[in-house]
Amino acid sequence: MFKNVIVRVPSSSISEGLTSANEGKPIYSKALMQHENYVSALTKTGVNVTVLEPQDDFPDSCFVEDVALCTSKCAIVTRPGALSRRKEAALPDMIAALEKFYENIEYIKDPGTVEAGDIMMVGDHFYIGLSARTNEEGAKQMIEILEKYGLSGQMVEMKEMLHLKTGLAYLENNNLLVAGEFKQAPEFEKFNKIEIDMEEAYGANCIWINDYVIVPEGYPVVQKKIEELGYKVLVVDTSEFRKIDGGLSCLSLRF
C-alpha cells in the first residue's frame, strides 16, 4: 500500500520540455488543469500528496518520477541522463521533501546516469531498463544500493522505448501491462501479461495505487482490460504531458 505521493506543479516554461512526440507544444493553462485533476485522482486513492512549487528554470521538472527512486527502505536520488534535467535531482525542495519521509537517502554518482522512469518496482525487486537515459554504470550503482538495504535489482536491455515504464506498468497481483518490445522480453515471462497494441501503447503507462488504477484518458481498450481484471479505475487526461514525452507515472513519486 502507498501512503505518500510527491508531485510538482508544472512550470510556465513547460512548452520548452524535451520531446520526441511531434504533437505540438503543451498549453500551460491546460497542463495546470490536467495536473490538478491528476492530484485529485491521487487523493481519491487515500494517499497524502506533497505538492512542490513549479521550477521555471526546469521545463521538465513536473516529471518528478525521474529524479528519485522511493523504496520501502530508502530514497535514491538519481542522476538524470538528459543534461537539461541533471540539476533537477538536487533541487533543495525535493531533497527536503524526501528527508521528511526518509532517514536513508542515497545518491547515484558520476559517471552513472539513471532516470527512475526506467525502474519498475515489483515487491522488493526492481527492473532497471538500460536506455538512452540510464546507463549500465548507473544501473550497477542502483543495484548495489538496493542490495545494501536487502532489496534486489536486475538490468533489462532496451532498444526502442524512451523509458522502461513507457511500455510497462505493474498492477500488483502479478498483472503486468506490456507494450512493444517488452511483449517478448524473457524477464517478464512469469507475469500475467496484458498485451497492449502499439496504437494504444501510451495507455500502457498506468499507475496502481491502493487497488485503484489511474489510466490515461482516450485509451478505451486499455481501460476495459484493466476493468476486467477487477480494479477500480480512475481516468485522467494527460494529453498536454504526452506532448513532451510524459505520462501518468512520470508525474509522481509514490511510496
Side-chain angles (χ1 to χ4, degrees):
M1 299 294 278
F2 292 124
K3 293 179 181 172
N4 298 293
V5 172
I6 298 172
V7 302
R8 187 185 293 286
V9 176
S11 68
S12 56
S13 59
I14 190 170
S15 63
E16 304 310 311
L18 298 168
T19 184
S20 60
N22 296 321
E23 297 204 8
K25 289 184 179 291
I27 298 161
Y28 177 50
S29 58
K30 271 191 171 179
L32 279 180
M33 194 188 312
Q34 289 181 3
H35 196 266
E36 282 175 20
N37 292 339
Y38 177 74
V39 171
S40 173
L42 290 169
T43 57
K44 283 178 187 161
T45 71
V47 293
N48 293 310
V49 182
T50 299
V51 181
L52 303 181
E53 293 295 310
Q55 291 278 350
D56 287 344
D57 290 343
F58 300 98
D60 293 290
S61 57
C62 57
F63 301 131
V64 289
E65 177 179 62
D66 287 320
V67 302
L69 180 70
C70 293
T71 79
S72 57
K73 309 282 177 68
C74 63
I76 304 164
V77 176
T78 67
R79 187 167 177 271
L83 277 173
S84 64
R85 302 198 62 192
R86 196 151 289 169
K87 290 179 180 171
E88 279 180 44
L91 286 169
D93 61 345
M94 174 57 77
I95 302 299
L98 293 171
E99 285 174 342
K100 197 169 80 174
F101 297 106
Y102 285 99
E103 282 181 31
N104 302 312
I105 298 182
E106 305 276 352
Y107 293 84
I108 300 296
K109 298 180 172 67
D110 185 20
T113 63
V114 178
E115 293 186 7
D118 280 319
I119 304 179
M120 182 175 74
M121 178 178 76
V122 178
D124 287 337
H125 187 68
F126 295 78
Y127 293 91
I128 304 168
L130 298 178
S131 71
R133 305 284 182 86
T134 296
N135 64 20
E136 194 169 332
E137 170 62 26
K140 280 181 182 166
Q141 288 184 34
M142 186 63 75
I143 291 168
E144 281 172 18
I145 295 167
L146 290 168
E147 288 176 347
K148 176 177 158 185
Y149 290 94
L151 306 169
S152 59
Q154 74 184 87
M155 298 182 209
V156 179
E157 294 283 346
M158 292 171 52
K159 294 183 178 68
E160 296 162 23
M161 300 283 190
L162 172 69
H163 282 136
L164 184 81
K165 281 190 288 202
T166 305
L168 289 172
Y170 184 57
L171 304 181
E172 303 297 310
N173 310 313
N174 205 46
N175 293 320
L176 183 69
L177 293 184
V178 286
E181 64 183 301
F182 302 121
K183 287 182 181 180
Q184 312 305 327
E187 294 92 342
F188 308 118
E189 276 174 3
K190 66 179 189 201
F191 292 97
N192 174 36
K193 292 194 283 190
I194 298 93
E195 296 196 354
I196 306 299
D197 293 336
M198 279 313 287
E199 56 265 27
E200 286 218 352
Y202 180 83
N205 183 254
C206 300
I207 46 178
W208 177 96
I209 306 184
N210 306 341
D211 291 326
Y212 286 87
V213 177
I214 304 180
V215 179
E217 186 177 279
Y219 302 89
V221 177
V222 177
Q223 184 179 339
K224 185 167 183 283
K225 287 183 176 185
I226 293 169
E227 285 169 345
E228 284 170 352
L229 291 168
Y231 296 104
K232 294 174 279 191
V233 168
L234 299 169
V235 178
V236 175
D237 184 0
T238 52
S239 54
E240 295 305 305
F241 300 101
R242 182 178 182 172
K243 293 175 182 176
I244 49 170
D245 298 339
L248 282 166
S249 70
C250 317
L251 288 164
S252 59
L253 292 168
R254 304 165 296 281
F255 52 98

